[in-house]
Amino acid sequence: MTTFLRDTATVFTRELRPSLRNPAAMLFDMGQPLLFLFLFGSLLGGAVGPSWQWFVPGILVMMCLTGPMSSGYTLLVELIGGAMERMMVTPLSRTAMLIGKSMKAVVTLVVQAVLIIVLALPLGFELHAAGVLAGLAQLAIFGVGLGALSFVLAMKSVPSGTLFYVVSQSLLFPLLLLSGVLLPLETAPGWLKVLGQINPVTYIVDAQRALFAGNLAAPSVLYGTLTACVVAAIGLYLGNRAMSKGL
């Protein structure tokens, strides 16, 4: 266990170091969420009740999808360039490689989420500390699963990388639009509501909105937490299996 933790910390530090050297890149990645927050969120007005309580959790889920879900790009570059092959011949635990890389994506997500919350406070967002902490924890679990699945896709996309771009971009916007991140699904046509109900991201969005409103006992919180845990379990299982088989 000590060796595993040391290996995980080594990989995590290796992945995090470039971000610490270039924090501007992290802020640049927040460009689109910030535009949605300040422009689209303001346009909502009172159309969805307390708009900031409704919209800010949606923005955080959007960041979770666009961040950890695309984190496999770094691994894809390493695979194509040969850097990952050099890591694979080291005594590092392959599971630790997966966990360390996933942790970096999650830490980046949490830091960005905190910045979004701080920026939303002057706009009228009400801070419910317990709900926010629980919401960030749920997002972290979900992000681990998405990051691991992204790594699996990157491994399957070698050597061209085309599969990674096609699948990730084809899934991103349907998952966002059919989860009610930007607009409520209550007024959508029946067939869209059905698609929304089979979209796992919908349950995360509903849970986040309940948590950020301070409703920790809402049924949607349970469904969202179960969804996040299932996605994390599937992602870690498939990712560990792909790592163990070799690249």
Side-chain angles (χ1 to χ4, degrees):
M1 180 59 69
T2 301
T3 301
F4 174 78
L5 293 176
R6 184 178 65 247
D7 290 349
T8 302
T10 299
V11 176
F12 172 70
T13 303
R14 174 183 179 272
E15 295 293 319
L16 188 63
R17 189 176 293 118
S19 297
L20 295 177
R21 291 175 177 172
N22 186 21
M26 183 183 299
L27 296 176
F28 180 79
D29 291 339
M30 295 176 62
Q32 186 182 51
L34 286 174
L35 284 176
F36 275 101
L37 178 68
F38 289 110
L39 300 182
F40 196 85
S42 299
L43 290 173
L44 284 176
V48 291
S51 59
W52 295 113
Q53 298 300 123
W54 188 91
F55 195 65
V56 169
I59 289 294
L60 299 186
V61 175
M62 177 190 293
M63 291 172 57
C64 189
L65 287 175
T66 57
M69 192 172 176
S70 62
S71 59
Y73 173 76
T74 302
L75 177 61
L76 182 61
V77 172
E78 292 180 343
L79 289 170
I80 295 176
M84 194 62 188
E85 291 183 3
R86 293 191 288 272
M87 284 191 65
M88 295 299 289
V89 300
T90 67
L92 286 171
S93 165
R94 296 186 179 185
T95 303
M97 292 183 189
L98 177 67
I99 299 295
K101 287 179 174 291
S102 299
M103 284 178 57
K104 185 266 180 180
V106 169
V107 168
T108 301
L109 170 65
V110 171
V111 171
Q112 292 176 332
V114 171
L115 289 175
I116 288 289
I117 292 170
V118 171
L119 291 174
L121 288 175
L123 301 175
F125 176 74
E126 296 181 8
L127 183 65
H128 299 275
V132 167
L133 291 176
L136 292 178
Q138 186 183 88
L139 276 182
I141 295 172
F142 189 52
V144 167
L146 290 179
L149 290 173
S150 180
F151 296 142
V152 174
L153 181 59
M155 289 181 240
K156 299 296 184 182
S157 302
V158 177
S160 67
T162 303
L163 180 65
F164 180 85
Y165 302 115
V166 171
V167 174
S168 60
Q169 293 303 313
S170 298
L171 288 178
L172 177 60
F173 289 103
L175 288 175
L176 281 174
L177 295 175
L178 293 174
S179 63
V181 164
L182 299 177
L183 292 170
L185 292 176
E186 286 77 5
T187 58
W191 63 275
L192 275 179
K193 291 182 180 179
V194 172
L195 291 177
Q197 290 175 353
I198 63 176
N199 179 7
V201 183
T202 301
Y203 300 97
I204 302 295
V205 172
D206 291 343
Q208 289 292 302
R209 285 176 176 149
L211 288 170
F212 276 70
N215 301 324
L216 278 71
S220 59
V221 173
L222 175 61
Y223 300 143
T225 301
L226 289 175
T227 301
C229 291
V230 169
V231 171
I234 293 174
L236 290 175
Y237 171 75
L238 294 178
N240 186 53
R241 184 177 178 182
M243 283 283 192
S244 299
K245 285 184 175 180
L247 305 174

